Amino acid sequence: MMESRMTRNCHVRFGERYEETHQSQDWKVRFVPTPLSPLLANVALHGLETMLNEYAVTIDYRNCYGRQESQKNKIKSLNFIRYADDFLVLHRDSTVVHRCRDLISEWLNGMGLQLKPSKTRITHTLNPELSEDGLAGFDFLGHHIQQFPVGKHNCAIEPQNKKPLGFRTLITPSKDACKNHQLELKRVVRKHKYSHQARLINELNPIIRGWTNYYQFSDAQSVGELTRQDHLLFEKLRAWGRHKCKGKLKKAYEKYWTKIGNNNWVFATRQENANPLRLLTHTEFGSSSTKYVKVKGEDSPFNGKLVYWSTRMGRNPDMPSRKASLLKRQKGVCPWCCLHFREGDILEEDHVLARALGGKDRYDNLQLLHGHCHDTKTSNSHFGDRALELAMVK
């Protein structure tokens, strides 16, 4: 596996927010931060994956019977993952990875770019002795990916042979990401050293919600990282409360922590005749690396597949917000016929309990049906109501 970051000849990160230019005798010029940097990186690296796929066809890659794999399987064996100027190259054979590094370097030299040595490393995800620096795993976009040896009852299963692999892959927040998150929480707590509790909670909640949502498709909960983040934040809030109460810790507990439900330690406001404003916790959001569904092929939110992206994201600029939310909640399945919605299908909103029978126009009383399924449901309900009226008359 190779991870790298593309730079200019001056070894400055290409596509970063701050970018150095040429240096004169006494002056150093820096560009103003620009949101176009990721776009420029995408333009510069366009075609890199095609070049690697062309090389993958020539790889000497054999199956378990000693026969050469097909071109399709050879291309699948070489995985290339890129986000702006950060990218990964994954393959079972280290020789192939080394060759990919040389090919990428040659490909970038034609544009006056090169790989940054300090950010380029070849590593193994399981065995540290097979890595260049003796460390297993790698960091990518704030995540740390590493495999750990486990027993046959806890390890992953090979899809084809159904045999235990002997290891388990964990995707967790990187050490730098956890440290930076705690520094941000510390900065906010110190900023509101003399502020009211409500103002502190209002600024902490979006930070906690955003950080946990970013790592919702990781193993942060299973490895105890979310619990650790809550504990470290509790220590900061305890120091904040002690300072507010002039060193009286017991008074701080009674004033700023309360009981809500089964939790006796909720950092929340105490206001009479009003709902308390409570602090969110990392653990209440949860996370799981197995819930993530990979994007199909080369699909994009801008390719016109409204049903697919509305089901996946719960929103789409070309789809009404209520229909998009219902598609995500129903996972793209019509509850009447139990079939998936397809592009071009007529989608109609339906009230589970009809408005005429006292149903409310709320999300919990709404469902999305095919047009013909909606007609069938409506006709059946009218037939049932008519039969009930005749029975009452008789």
Side-chain angles (χ1 to χ4, degrees), residues 188-248:
V188 174
V189 173
R190 285 190 173 183
K191 174 184 175 182
H192 294 279
K193 191 174 182 179
Y194 302 98
S195 302
H196 191 268
Q197 184 184 15
R199 296 186 62 184
L200 175 62
I201 294 176
N202 284 329
E203 189 163 350
L204 285 176
N205 280 347
I207 299 175
I208 296 173
R209 185 186 296 108
W211 193 83
T212 50
N213 285 339
Y214 183 77
Y215 293 102
Q216 62 178 321
F217 298 116
S218 69
D219 298 301
Q221 185 175 14
S222 59
V223 300
E225 184 59 41
L226 298 183
T227 304
R228 176 177 171 271
Q229 293 293 327
D230 285 336
H231 175 70
L232 295 176
L233 180 58
F234 172 78
E235 292 182 344
K236 295 177 177 59
L237 296 176
R238 182 175 60 182
W240 177 87
R242 179 186 296 171
H243 175 267
K244 296 280 287 185
C245 295
K246 300 180 180 180
K248 298 179 181 179

Side-chain angles (χ1 to χ4, degrees), residues 4-20 31 34 36-46 82-87 107-108 111-116 119:
S4 181
R5 171 164 288 164
M6 180 187 65
T7 66
R8 292 196 175 188
N9 291 330
C10 56
H11 299 289
V12 181
R13 294 182 182 180
F14 181 87
E16 288 295 316
R17 296 299 182 187
Y18 299 94
E19 183 178 3
E20 294 185 5
F31 282 126
T34 169
L36 296 178
S37 298
L39 175 61
L40 296 177
N42 288 329
V43 173
L45 291 179
H46 182 70
R82 181 174 67 87
Y83 182 83
D85 63 335
D86 292 324
F87 56 85
W107 190 82
L108 293 176
M111 297 183 290
L113 305 173
Q114 66 180 19
L115 298 176
K116 187 172 185 179
K119 293 293 183 180

Side-chain angles (χ1 to χ4, degrees), residues 46-255:
H46 182 70
L48 180 58
E49 184 176 4
T50 303
M51 184 270 295
L52 292 178
N53 288 337
E54 294 175 355
Y55 163 70
V57 177
T58 64
I59 295 175
D60 184 14
Y61 187 61
R62 301 176 182 272
N63 55 22
C64 58
Y65 302 104
R67 301 174 182 174
Q68 283 286 347
E69 289 282 3
S70 63
Q71 293 186 0
K72 182 178 180 181
N73 290 337
K74 287 183 178 181
I75 294 176
K76 285 185 177 181
S77 67
L78 182 62
N79 296 311
F80 178 74
I81 305 167
R82 181 174 67 87
Y83 182 83
D85 63 335
D86 292 324
F87 56 85
L88 300 173
V89 178
L90 305 173
H91 197 271
R92 294 183 177 182
D93 190 356
S94 61
T95 305
V96 176
V97 178
H98 281 85
R99 180 55 182 163
C100 288
R101 179 173 62 178
D102 298 336
L103 291 175
I104 293 174
S105 298
E106 296 175 1
W107 190 82
L108 293 176
N109 286 335
M111 297 183 290
L113 305 173
Q114 66 180 19
L115 298 176
K116 187 172 185 179
S118 60
K119 293 293 183 180
T120 303
R121 58 189 293 258
I122 296 179
T123 180
H124 197 275
T125 55
L126 180 61
N127 300 321
E129 59 272 9
L130 298 179
S131 303
E132 290 183 337
D133 52 2
L135 300 176
F138 59 93
D139 293 342
F140 186 65
L141 301 180
H143 294 77
H144 181 75
I145 297 92
Q146 186 175 348
Q147 295 170 337
F148 299 88
V150 293
K152 62 179 181 179
H153 299 291
N154 296 322
C155 66
I157 304 298
E158 190 174 359
Q160 296 179 352
N161 301 328
K162 305 297 181 182
K163 295 182 179 180
L165 295 175
F167 60 83
R168 181 185 179 188
T169 304
L170 291 180
I171 304 174
T172 59
S174 64
K175 292 183 179 180
D176 292 340
C178 297
K179 181 180 178 181
N180 294 334
H181 180 56
Q182 284 298 319
L183 291 176
E184 178 66 13
L185 296 177
K186 180 180 180 180
R187 182 192 65 81
V188 174
V189 173
R190 285 190 173 183
K191 174 184 175 182
H192 294 279
K193 191 174 182 179
Y194 302 98
S195 302
H196 191 268
Q197 184 184 15
R199 296 186 62 184
L200 175 62
I201 294 176
N202 284 329
E203 189 163 350
L204 285 176
N205 280 347
I207 299 175
I208 296 173
R209 185 186 296 108
W211 193 83
T212 50
N213 285 339
Y214 183 77
Y215 293 102
Q216 62 178 321
F217 298 116
S218 69
D219 298 301
Q221 185 175 14
S222 59
V223 300
E225 184 59 41
L226 298 183
T227 304
R228 176 177 171 271
Q229 293 293 327
D230 285 336
H231 175 70
L232 295 176
L233 180 58
F234 172 78
E235 292 182 344
K236 295 177 177 59
L237 296 176
R238 182 175 60 182
W240 177 87
R242 179 186 296 171
H243 175 267
K244 296 280 287 185
C245 295
K246 300 180 180 180
K248 298 179 181 179
L249 187 57
K250 184 178 180 180
K251 182 179 179 181
Y253 288 154
E254 296 175 351
K255 184 176 181 181

